[in-house]
Amino acid sequence: MHSAFVLPLVLLLGGCESYGDLTSDAFDPGGASQSRFTLDSADCAARANIARDYDVRIIAGTHAESHEAFNRAYAACMTGEGYGRRDWSPKIPLPYKIDPMPG
């Protein structure tokens, strides 16, 4: 019964990036200036759009597949430019970790 609630939640949260395009908010600028970071992000977004707009498999695919293709290309470009992904996971201390379905 526990997995009946956890599995859909994991699938829902795991697919969140599939329903929208990543932006520079998903990356840490590190030591780059704001203008450099903005230019790199715009360049990576343009490259990701080219990958998405000219691949027949993606054009014929679903809306989610289109976002996934963009996100893969954008993330690869931003990582290649030296930017790291931000960690969006909440920092919950172990004593406060609550099991919603105590056994």
Side-chain angles (χ1 to χ4, degrees), residues 2 6 10 13 24 26 33 38 41 50 56-57 60 62 64 70-71 84 87 92 94:
H2 178 69
V6 174
V10 169
L13 293 176
S24 61
S33 68
T38 302
S41 176
I50 290 170
V56 174
R57 293 168 297 164
T62 66
F70 177 91
N71 290 344
D87 182 11
I92 302 172
L94 287 177

Side-chain angles (χ1 to χ4, degrees), residues 31-48:
S33 68
Q34 184 62 40
S35 60
R36 175 82 264 157
F37 182 65
T38 302
L39 287 172
D40 287 343
S41 176
D43 183 50
C44 286
R47 290 180 191 185

Side-chain angles (χ1 to χ4, degrees), residues 40 43-45 47-48 72-83:
D40 287 343
D43 183 50
C44 286
R47 290 180 191 185
R72 278 192 305 274
Y74 181 76
C77 180
M78 289 295 281
T79 302
E81 292 292 331
Y83 301 109

